[in-house]
Amino acid sequence: SYEVTQPLSVSVALGQTARITCGGNNIGRKNVHWYQQKPGQAPVLVIYRDSHRPSGIPERFSGSNSGNTATLTISRAQAGDEADYYCQVWDSRIVVFGGGTKLTVL
Amino acid sequence: QVQLQESGPGLVKPSETLSLTCTVSGGSISSYYWSWIRQPPGKGLEWIGYIYYSGSTNYNPSLKSRVTVSVDTSKNQFSLKLSSVTAADTAVYYCTRGGPGDPLDYWGQGTLVTVSS
């Protein structure tokens, strides 16, 4: 079965750029979706199909996907961006989630 | 704006069947796929399965033997049944919209189901 791997945690200084990776075999051939989950809340879609932002998501959130790594980039990080982030792909009509990355804004 | 709301018992006894319903409002359940996701306390997200409005389904292989997802288009609802539950099935259960290739773009608020005697 297909697996995707995320770092357990990423730290970023306030106002700097955070990058969260999602690794998988030839993941660049798949569409990657990213979700933000704050404590006690449901996940929210922040990037879909590698690099598209849903309505209402700030331009500070961007995504890329190539080779074996997809990346969620958060520019000018704010305290409100502290959350868990999950990448997700479909593989043979099955959802595969990464294990999640806890983003800490220092 | 599409909204999803989970409903069902918050406490289920071991070996019994967990049953949840998701009510979709602000849009039709037709022409879309609908999924169930769960999250054990302090852990990550796990996909349970999806259903198309026409009734076709696909399930997580690790849960397939215990899961049934059904749809009632007349009520704009879809449902989850998970049989023979154990403490390992204790989780927040979310209903979402999304199917093969698509993002899970709308989520319910989630409902905590505890398996305990």
Side-chain angles (χ1 to χ4, degrees):
Chain A
S1 61
Y2 193 81
E3 295 184 357
V4 292
T5 304
Q6 296 182 237
L8 283 176
S9 62
V10 168
S11 297
V12 63
L14 187 67
Q16 297 304 303
T17 298
R19 294 178 179 84
I20 299 172
T21 59
C22 178
N25 187 36
N26 289 319
I27 198 171
R29 298 181 182 179
K30 298 182 179 295
N31 287 319
V32 179
H33 314 299
W34 290 93
Y35 305 88
Q36 175 194 69
Q37 186 180 33
K38 296 181 179 180
Q41 298 183 19
V44 173
L45 180 68
V46 293
I47 292 289
Y48 65 97
R49 295 197 178 93
D50 299 339
S51 59
H52 297 83
R53 274 179 295 103
S55 173
I57 300 301
E59 292 183 7
R60 301 184 298 104
F61 287 80
S62 62
S64 62
N65 185 16
S66 179
N68 294 318
T69 305
T71 303
L72 172 68
T73 301
I74 306 171
S75 304
R76 302 181 299 282
Q78 301 178 357
D81 298 332
E82 273 208 352
D84 294 326
Y85 290 85
Y86 295 89
C87 62
Q88 177 250 312
V89 300
W90 285 88
D91 179 67
S92 301
R93 303 176 74 81
I94 290 174
V95 169
V96 179
F97 285 108
T101 298
K102 181 175 181 59
L103 177 67
T104 300
V105 180
L106 303 172
Chain B
Q1 175 79 343
V2 174
Q3 293 184 314
L4 290 78
Q5 178 68 59
E6 305 88 352
S7 59
L11 181 64
V12 181
K13 290 182 170 54
S15 80
E16 295 189 345
T17 295
L18 178 160
S19 295
L20 295 174
T21 295
C22 182
T23 301
V24 179
S25 59
S28 174
I29 204 167
S30 297
S31 302
Y32 289 99
Y33 288 86
W34 305 89
S35 291
W36 286 98
I37 308 294
R38 71 179 183 178
Q39 184 173 36
K43 296 188 177 180
L45 302 170
E46 180 181 30
W47 175 71
I48 298 170
Y50 70 67
I51 190 164
Y52 191 46
Y53 79 101
S54 63
S56 63
T57 56
N58 198 29
Y59 302 133
N60 186 325
S62 68
L63 299 169
K64 188 174 183 177
S65 63
R66 300 194 291 131
V67 173
T68 302
V69 179
S70 58
V71 65
D72 186 337
T73 55
S74 67
K75 294 182 179 179
N76 238 32
Q77 294 177 334
F78 62 106
S79 298
L80 168 69
K81 291 189 185 297
L82 181 65
S83 63
S84 304
V85 296
T86 69
D89 295 309
T90 294
V92 175
Y93 286 75
Y94 296 100
C95 56
T96 73
R97 189 179 79 171
D102 292 334
L104 305 173
D105 56 358
Y106 291 99
W107 293 65
Q109 65 184 26
T111 187
L112 174 63
V113 179
T114 301
V115 178
S116 175
S117 56

